Amino acid sequence: MHYFPNVEKIKYEGKTTENLFAFRHYNPEEVIMGKTMKEHLRFAVAYWHTMTQDGSDPFGDPVNQRTWFGETPMDTARNRVEAFFEILTKLDVEYFCFHDVDIAPAGDSLEEFFSNIDEITDLIKEKMDQTGIKLLWNTANMFSHPRFVNGAASSNNAEVFAYSAAQVKKGLDVSKKLGGENYVFWGGREGYESLLNTNMKFEQDNIARLFKMAIAYGEKIGHKPQFLIEPKPMEPSKHQYDFDAATAMAFIQKHGLENDFKLNLEANHATLAGHTFEHELNVARDYDALGSIDANQGDVLLGWDTDEFPTNIYDTTLAMYEILENGGIAPGGINFDSKVRRSSFAMDDLLLAHIAGMDTFARGLKAAAALKEDRFFDDLKEKRYASYTTGIGAKIVADEEDLESLTTYALAHDDITNESSHLEVVKSRLNDYLV
Ligand code: XUL
Ligand code: CO
């Protein structure tokens, strides 16, 4: 059965092509700074937005045209696997990501859910073996069901903690079965609605407890994916504990998790936290904790997580620059945590939207590589901080000075001149790399 019978495997055809089902910038085999684009970008397709999103919104009914619905929920789940691997193969994408509830129906009990997961992951494994496609990460959805109304590991209800632990155990078993390279924790409900009735410290200690159980279980079964926390400041929680990269790092360090945990950073979560994406990547890099990214973009005119496919080359350039500076993103990748707009309801839009996102990241990669090769930011910053390379500056960064010695220095040098940053020139020159 083919779900996209009119589309062949998508190929690179260059910028002049009229073919919508072709890459105009993403050329998987093209070598940039010693690695192919495919090796640099490590794209992944997200099961949830691609296979289960129906196009409904708070004011509108489902609109997406999808042809994989079967007679029973399990028939649909099996059809989805078939269609998903067709999408991955046609897009020439090597990785994918999913939540447990995306792939298998929850059934009437946890036992039935687990057995559904077993059956569907058998099918997924078969497809992976046939195609060579790999699992970037999986995760447990511990936020949609009503039982998680007050959180998962952070719930006031210990029964919910236990249920969440069972889901994480199953997630790690599945990760081992499918050779998952990373395992994600996104705590959508790990936060609070009101501080009036919330013990923040207790709740966060419990989240750390669950994470430590996950590390211990991974060791026990001999499967150690890179664990990732995905920060987000709010939505659905009013306040989410993993607010942003810096907050998540404080949590990781406080609980001694730094050897096992890194960050999965999402562009639209960064903007919700009042940061640019490159800010979040830069913070993570500073802690040697840049694990993986969820690629999407928000809308500056809307205040929520719109999860749009990335089409802004300015943003992808600065993100790819951070990734190049990081020495790459592996074993993480670039997961399209992105959904088609409601008006893009056709089946083919699933492919077209990914092509747009992949081309935008390819352009970002090329521009970032040129910026790096030209030492655009290096020279700029070297010049800007030059006062620390000689004289008193060199002594300050060599930790040779103290308040008294610097006071003596300042008394003799209190006539200070600063230099203009000419920031408008910088931005204008940066534009030259984008077009
Ligand atoms: C929600 C979000 C999630 C995580 C995985 O905003 O980004 O889809 O990526 O749970
Ligand atoms: Co995400």
Side-chain angles (χ1 to χ4, degrees):
M1 167 83 183
H2 286 287
Y3 290 89
F4 301 87
N6 303 323
V7 184
E8 304 287 313
K9 186 168 173 157
I10 319 287
K11 295 201 186 72
Y12 171 71
E13 291 183 11
K15 173 145 106 177
T16 52
T17 185
E18 294 288 323
N19 181 5
L20 290 183
F21 295 94
F23 296 119
R24 297 165 66 246
H25 301 277
Y26 177 59
N27 184 2
E29 304 313 325
E30 184 178 333
V31 175
I32 292 177
M33 298 188 98
K35 281 201 276 185
T36 63
M37 279 198 171
K38 199 169 189 171
E39 286 165 334
H40 275 289
L41 295 165
R42 296 172 60 84
F43 288 129
V45 174
Y47 214 97
W48 54 104
H49 288 313
T50 307
M51 308 312 295
T52 65
Q53 194 232 341
D54 62 14
S56 59
D57 69 17
F59 299 93
D61 295 338
V63 64
N64 288 346
Q65 296 166 352
R66 302 292 182 255
T67 55
W68 45 65
F69 289 97
E71 281 186 11
T72 67
M74 274 305 270
D75 287 339
T76 302
R78 280 185 283 264
N79 293 344
R80 278 181 171 142
V81 173
E82 192 70 36
F84 189 60
F85 276 84
E86 188 181 336
I87 291 172
L88 290 163
T89 310
K90 291 200 162 155
L91 284 172
D92 195 13
V93 164
E94 241 182 327
Y95 287 94
F96 66 104
C97 302
F98 65 87
H99 302 82
D100 45 7
V101 302
D102 307 333
I103 58 162
D108 292 327
S109 66
L110 187 57
E111 203 179 341
E112 192 182 333
F113 183 32
F114 283 175
S115 116
N116 290 344
I117 290 176
D118 288 341
E119 187 183 329
I120 298 296
T121 51
D122 282 347
L123 204 59
I124 290 179
K125 188 164 172 11
E126 237 172 70
K127 290 280 175 193
M128 290 171 75
D129 292 342
Q130 278 164 18
T131 57
I133 289 166
K134 294 171 273 192
L135 175 60
L136 186 68
W137 54 260
N138 61 313
T139 185
N141 177 325
M142 306 191 295
F143 44 88
S144 295
H145 191 276
R147 76 177 67 83
F148 301 115
V149 64
N150 288 315
S154 70
S155 174
N156 57 312
N157 184 347
E159 308 285 330
V160 179
F161 188 105
Y163 194 102
S164 308
Q167 254 182 286
V168 171
K169 177 189 174 293
K170 188 69 183 172
L172 289 172
D173 289 335
V174 163
S175 174
K176 180 175 179 174
K177 176 173 174 179
L178 303 180
E181 298 184 24
N182 305 268
Y183 185 89
V184 164
F185 289 96
W186 171 64
R189 305 262 176 209
E190 311 291 37
Y192 62 77
E193 177 62 34
S194 170
L195 205 46
L196 296 177
N197 64 359
T198 300
N199 185 339
M200 255 210 289
K201 178 176 177 345
F202 181 76
E203 293 197 358
Q204 292 190 72
D205 285 351
N206 273 350
I207 297 173
R209 271 191 188 95
L210 183 68
F211 289 178
K212 285 178 186 167
M213 288 179 194
I215 295 170
Y217 186 67
E219 272 159 14
K220 185 171 174 192
I221 62 173
H223 174 64
K224 276 199 82 172
Q226 174 174 270
F227 287 109
L228 301 170
I229 292 177
E230 184 176 326
K232 187 178 182 183
M234 64 193 83
E235 201 203 305
S237 293
K238 174 193 152 112
H239 175 93
Q240 199 168 305
Y241 292 136
D242 304 320
F243 196 91
D244 60 4
T247 316
M249 283 320 301
F251 173 87
I252 285 173
Q253 293 192 333
K254 179 180 181 194
H255 296 282
L257 300 166
E258 55 269 51
N259 291 334
D260 300 279
F261 274 80
K262 290 194 174 186
L263 302 177
N264 181 41
L265 295 167
E266 177 164 328
N268 206 165
H269 296 182
T271 46
L272 277 181
H275 303 306
T276 59
F277 192 29
E278 59 272 18
H279 166 98
E280 289 294 80
L281 300 175
N282 202 300
V283 170
R285 224 158 44 70
D286 183 23
Y287 286 96
D288 192 22
L290 176 50
S292 198
I293 70 167
D294 271 7
N296 57 25
Q297 68 187 30
D299 184 318
V300 281
L301 301 180
L302 303 173
W304 63 90
D305 194 13
T306 56
D307 284 345
E308 294 175 30
F309 274 87
T311 50
N312 182 326
I313 31 175
Y314 204 98
D315 292 344
T316 57
T317 299
L318 297 180
M320 284 314 301
Y321 185 80
E322 290 297 328
I323 289 174
L324 291 179
E325 284 288 275
N326 195 55
I329 194 76
I334 297 180
N335 167 47
F336 288 106
D337 192 348
S338 312
K339 60 183 175 220
V340 286
R341 297 304 86 196
R342 192 165 188 263
S343 50
S344 302
F345 47 76
M347 281 279 272
D348 284 350
D349 284 308
L350 293 173
L351 296 172
L352 295 172
H354 280 92
I355 294 170
M358 292 163 79
D359 271 340
T360 306
F361 260 89
R363 294 186 79 167
L365 168 61
K366 284 187 197 168
L371 286 161
K372 201 163 156 59
E373 269 161 358
D374 290 357
R375 295 184 46 85
F376 182 87
F377 294 117
D378 290 331
D379 287 347
L380 189 72
K381 290 180 191 175
E382 244 174 60
K383 192 160 170 261
R384 189 152 182 268
Y385 297 96
S387 69
Y388 285 92
T389 56
T390 56
I392 194 67
K395 287 186 178 169
I396 291 171
V397 293
D399 296 321
E400 285 168 10
E401 297 291 327
D402 57 30
L403 290 187
E404 287 167 307
S405 64
L406 287 173
T407 302
T408 308
Y409 180 89
L411 285 169
H413 300 85
D414 64 350
D415 186 16
I416 293 173
T417 48
N418 274 311
E419 276 179 35
S420 166
S421 296
H422 307 308
L423 195 52
E424 294 74 10
V425 177
V426 174
K427 290 184 176 178
S428 167
R429 295 277 158 86
L430 174 58
N431 282 346
D432 295 344
Y433 286 84
L434 302 178
V435 285

